[in-house]
Amino acid sequence: MQSEPKNNLNIFYKYALFSNLSLIALSLFIWFFTKPVYRTELLLALPVNTEKSTSSLPGVGQTTQMTGSSGTGSSRYDPRSNYKYIFTQRVILDRAAFIAGINPSSFEKPKINNIINSTLMKVVVTDSNNSLSYKKAISFLDAVRERLDTLRRLEVDSRIDYTNSLVSRARNELSSSQQKLIRYKISNQIYNEKQPSELSQRLDNLLIKRAETAATSSKIKNRFLRLSGDLNMTPSQAVQAFQLRGDSVFQELLSRYSQGQAEYNIAISTFGSQHPRVTTLKLTIEEILDSLQDRSFVILDKRIDSSVLQRMILTKYIDGFDEIYQKLLLLHSELSGSTSELKRLDLEIEDLKILIKNLAEVQPGLTSLSRDVQLAEAFFASTMTASNLIKTDSFSAYPLIQLVNQPTVPTKDSSQKTFIILLATLTSSTFLTLALYLRLVFRRQNPIISEQ
């Protein structure tokens, strides 16, 4: 019975030795045939590339045009996520393999990590050959740049086509709105948008001028009435008398008429009204008076009143009355001019009031159409600015990637296969030995099962 436990222990030692030796042999086989892993790291920076343009128009305000990348996304998303997807596309990997001169199937996807709170991306390219790992990294970077250049051209071309269509539409809208405004102005006799205010200012100036002209006319009229009163004539009679005083034929007839009246007055006081001489003088005076009336009709286009003739006879030989007549004529001319000016101003003021009233009725339509033109101008300016920015900035679609670190040929195996295999071997050996030992203990405690 004592030899049986000893035999069991020997069997345990044999199994344990055989198992551990097999495990060590397997580990050495794995270690020998496992290829090393060389890592080449690329640290890339992605600056956020956004352009902003502002257009300003009077009465409209500012229009801001933002140009950014469809590849970089909006501010709510990390643009590196888009680039991470692009970098792992097969087209880039195949192109990198072609540049490196290797089989595309042997070019595995690189590991790409985004560094938190930065715009940096870390790209890791691995291979069992250190120089090939470096070559694959450089080829991958070149392939990425080529692909991004292609995407930029495609993006810019598509955006140019789109903005050109927008510019064409904006130009048509601007032209249409301008034509509507022009037709509206022509139909309502509006020559410029400031015309209502200009007409109001002109009306104010005309009202001031009319008030001044009316005041001047009133002064002239008062002087004219005063002078005509000095002649004991009405203004119209004074003007008639002055016009007749310039005619020599009328003045000669007036002298004869005055002399005949004097002789008639003397004769009637001397001989009485029935005397033949009185009768003859009376007939002579009447003939002269008829001649005066005929001459006045030729000059004035009307017969002169006898009272005017009497005033002219009375004032003919009085000093200073010629000057009064001249002043009277001058004042009459000035009064006629000021009266005509007042009539002209009244007509012009009335026409302006009607025009301003009509403009006030069409002003809402003018304001609306002018606003449409300004908005169309703002839209056109904004689209033109965006079109110019797209043509001059090809990196707005996909920003230029910058290589932060200069990669070098790796010299150290990054797989840590020795440590991993050693750790796995020790762990496996421990558990295997423990399992064999527990089996031995179990057999000792259950001899019946052991015999069986």
Side-chain angles (χ1 to χ4, degrees), residues 398-418:
Y398 291 91
L400 182 67
I401 59 172
Q402 298 177 354
L403 184 62
V404 177
N405 69 321
Q406 185 62 38
T408 58
V409 179
T411 57
K412 183 186 296 185
D413 182 7
S414 61
S415 63
Q416 298 181 348
K417 65 177 182 178
T418 302

Side-chain angles (χ1 to χ4, degrees), residues 96-128:
F98 177 80
I99 296 173
I102 62 176
N103 193 332
S105 60
S106 63
F107 202 110
E108 299 177 353
K109 290 184 179 181
K111 295 180 180 179
I112 302 175
N113 295 318
N114 297 332
I115 300 177
I116 301 175
N117 297 327
S118 70
T119 60
L120 299 177
M121 298 179 66
K122 184 170 72 172
V123 181
V124 179
V125 181
T126 60
D127 196 86
S128 59

Side-chain angles (χ1 to χ4, degrees), residues 77-88:
Y77 303 100
D78 190 348
R80 295 173 299 175
S81 299
N82 295 340
Y83 269 26
K84 185 176 180 179
Y85 173 77
I86 294 173
F87 290 173
T88 55

Side-chain angles (χ1 to χ4, degrees), residues 108-224:
E108 299 177 353
K109 290 184 179 181
K111 295 180 180 179
I112 302 175
N113 295 318
N114 297 332
I115 300 177
I116 301 175
N117 297 327
S118 70
T119 60
L120 299 177
M121 298 179 66
K122 184 170 72 172
V123 181
V124 179
V125 181
T126 60
D127 196 86
S128 59
N129 186 293
N130 59 346
S131 61
L132 188 57
S133 174
Y134 172 78
K135 188 175 182 180
K136 288 170 67 176
I138 298 301
S139 301
F140 175 78
L141 183 60
D142 293 340
V144 164
R145 286 173 173 168
E146 288 183 9
R147 181 59 180 170
L148 290 180
D149 288 340
T150 302
L151 292 175
R152 289 187 191 107
R153 287 194 299 270
L154 295 175
E155 175 74 10
V156 170
D157 290 342
S158 64
R159 292 173 63 191
I160 286 177
D161 292 339
Y162 176 68
T163 53
N164 285 342
S165 64
L166 281 182
V167 169
S168 177
R169 193 184 79 181
R171 184 182 291 110
N172 293 335
E173 290 182 358
L174 177 59
S175 177
S176 176
S177 59
Q178 288 176 338
Q179 290 298 323
K180 289 180 181 178
L181 180 60
I182 291 173
R183 288 194 296 268
Y184 190 82
K185 287 182 177 180
I186 293 175
S187 62
N188 293 282
Q189 297 182 349
I190 302 174
Y191 304 105
N192 58 73
E193 296 180 6
K194 296 182 179 179
Q195 187 175 357
S197 60
E198 292 176 354
L199 291 178
S200 298
Q201 181 64 38
R202 184 180 174 186
L203 178 60
D204 293 339
N205 294 335
L206 286 177
L207 290 173
I208 294 174
K209 185 176 181 181
R210 189 195 182 288
E212 294 174 349
T213 305
T216 303
S217 178
S218 178
K219 292 179 180 179
I220 295 173
K221 186 176 182 180
N222 291 334
R223 291 177 59 190
F224 184 82

